[in-house]
Amino acid sequence: MPFCTFEGIEGSGKSTQAARFAARFGARALLTREPGGTELGRGVRELLLTKHPHPVAAAAESLLFFADRAQHVSERLRPALAAGQVVICDRYVESSLAYQGYGRGLDLDALQRIAAFATGGLRPDLILLLDLPVEAGLSRARSRAGGPDRLEAEDVAFHERVRAGYHAMAAADPARWRVVDATGGEDEVAARVAAAAGEWPR
Ligand code: TMP
């Protein structure tokens, strides 16, 4: 099934690149994102990204991301795939593994089991990792209006663990992952994305 995801740290430019990539497929594409790809999910996104007076437990955080995802899979991803659309999603399960697993230190096997439960086993066939140094990504992300959200405000060491986690996952599964250099201008990166995707979807 033609299901592709964009992954990366804060400020990697993946949302822009996902939109440009989706434009290649015209009306055949569903471009969507997590968290917040459904009405329910927009509420969950708000809960996840705003700052709270008490620390958010890592398990609570991960389950909220998976609640958003379960709804998204059921309401949008599966119906689109069943209708023959090409689905392009800005973040998916691998974000949970990178941020809550490698970043927060939650057990990766437990997260994989929750992922199977939440998604019914729906996995992307292509994962484009937009990769750049943490400092470069964070300075891009933090210069956006509104200031850093709750996750962007985590320290550099957290984001380094997330990036290293992405690299570990990409190295372990080269059939699905493509690592794309996300430094440089938007057009340059778009050309690298196109080259990395090749003839997808076959
Ligand atoms: P965004 O900035 O790409 O919209 O993603 C929102 C934030 O949520 C970003 O800091 C990454 C984080 N995130 C997780 O920590 N786990 C997840 O499963 C997902 C989908 C996002």
Side-chain angles (χ1 to χ4, degrees):
M1 279 196 285
F3 176 26
C4 157
T5 61
F6 279 73
E7 294 287 350
I9 60 164
E10 318 300 319
S12 59
K14 66 186 169 37
S15 307
T16 307
Q17 294 298 334
R20 288 182 65 145
F21 187 63
R24 302 188 350 170
F25 303 100
R28 214 187 136 208
L30 169 69
L31 171 65
T32 184
R33 72 162 177 182
E34 293 187 357
T38 63
E39 195 64 43
L40 180 78
R42 282 186 275 285
V44 178
R45 181 182 176 91
E46 184 67 26
L47 275 176
L48 279 161
L49 298 186
T50 52
K51 293 181 183 148
H52 296 280
H54 302 289
V56 177
E61 179 182 273
S62 69
L63 290 169
L64 284 170
F65 279 114
F66 277 111
D68 165 80
R69 184 164 298 129
Q71 184 65 26
H72 193 213
V73 167
S74 158
E75 185 181 321
R76 301 207 68 197
L77 304 186
R78 285 196 187 276
L81 290 166
Q85 284 192 278
V86 172
V87 173
I88 291 146
C89 191
D90 181 353
R91 298 197 182 281
Y92 190 61
V93 168
E94 285 66 26
S95 279
S96 290
L97 299 172
Y99 281 78
Q100 282 68 52
Y102 290 92
R104 300 266 191 239
L106 290 184
D107 184 68
L108 291 168
D109 291 333
L111 291 173
Q112 292 278 16
R113 287 195 295 277
I114 298 167
F117 175 69
T119 68
L122 180 68
R123 304 306 295 258
D125 52 324
L126 176 68
I127 304 166
L128 293 157
L129 172 59
L130 295 199
D131 184 53
L132 85 174
V134 166
E135 294 289 1
L138 283 182
S139 68
R140 257 197 219 170
R142 287 176 179 161
S143 66
R144 284 184 202 133
D149 63 33
R150 196 175 59 81
L151 280 133
E152 283 165 2
E154 287 290 335
D155 61 17
V156 171
F158 172 83
H159 294 285
E160 292 287 4
R161 290 195 296 279
V162 172
R163 186 183 183 208
Y166 275 131
H167 283 169
M169 289 189 277
D173 187 5
R176 288 198 307 156
W177 288 76
R178 302 284 180 276
V179 182
V180 178
D181 175 4
T183 59
E186 206 182 294
D187 291 345
E188 236 177 307
V189 179
R192 290 186 202 124
V193 166
E199 297 299 302
W200 184 88
R202 286 177 192 281

